[in-house]
Amino acid sequence: MSIEIDTCPLEISDQDILEAMKSIPGYLDITTQDFKEVYILAYRQALERIKHSVRAGDIMTRSVISVKPDTPLEEVAEILSKNGISGVPVTDLEERILGMISEKDFLINMGVKKTGSFMTIIAQCLQNKGCLALPIRRQKAENIMTSPVVTVTEDTSAYEISSILTEKNINRVPVVNRENKLAGIITRTDIVKSSCSIGY
């Protein structure tokens, strides 16, 4: 066998392996190198199994704050501020997801480029001697929400969700049930917490 062993999370020495082999009763017809490679392969297999064992349903926030398409942006901003969150799903009366609205959507519709930050908006407000939010003050959630929305199911693994968040450059993803209705939401923080708990 010939495999890379530098990805092993714990460097084990030949002496470690010899001691381990001595603790196994009976005769072992295996070299320390074979033993180490088997260990690494088993570790990788276990890691893959664990990575896919945590599902969206295990880590999602079930009590989701959402808004309706006709919710005024002034109210949406207040909801985000009061709850210390940066985005909410927009749902219809039957809790089916129509879109997502986040701080980024506010910034973009206030004229800040996609790469802009909160300080960009402050700088522009100061330069223009006015508030850039005023032009969208009378608008509603449906006017600036992002749609369609990437969703996952409760069975989607945390590992897959992590890839989706990275590929789509988003910070949260709604979880839908079998009726395609909002069941929860997962953020990057949820993924990090689950990753730390299982050690990958």
Side-chain angles (χ1 to χ4, degrees), residues 101-118:
I101 186 167
S102 68
E103 291 174 346
K104 187 187 296 183
D105 294 310
F106 274 89
L107 291 174
I108 291 173
N109 283 277
M110 289 164 64
V112 179
K113 294 179 180 178
K114 288 186 177 181
T115 55
S117 66
F118 176 72

Side-chain angles (χ1 to χ4, degrees), residues 69-83:
D70 60 352
T71 303
L73 289 185
E74 183 179 350
E75 187 177 331
V76 175
E78 190 173 357
I79 290 171
L80 295 179
S81 175
K82 280 186 175 179
N83 292 283

Side-chain angles (χ1 to χ4, degrees), residues 103-174:
E103 291 174 346
K104 187 187 296 183
D105 294 310
F106 274 89
L107 291 174
I108 291 173
N109 283 277
M110 289 164 64
V112 179
K113 294 179 180 178
K114 288 186 177 181
T115 55
S117 66
F118 176 72
M119 288 314 299
T120 302
I121 202 87
I122 294 296
Q124 291 189 16
C125 284
L126 293 174
Q127 290 166 3
N128 295 331
K129 298 180 180 179
C131 177
L132 294 181
L134 287 179
I136 64 171
R137 184 180 180 187
R138 303 296 179 192
Q139 294 191 37
K140 299 175 180 177
E142 62 186 351
N143 298 128
I144 71 167
M145 68 182 186
T146 297
S147 180
V149 178
V150 177
T151 62
V152 298
T153 69
E154 293 187 48
D155 291 329
T156 307
S157 74
Y159 184 71
E160 291 176 80
I161 295 171
S162 176
S163 298
I164 291 171
L165 295 178
T166 300
E167 289 172 7
K168 303 294 182 183
N169 192 27
I170 54 180
N171 295 318
R172 65 196 65 76
V173 60

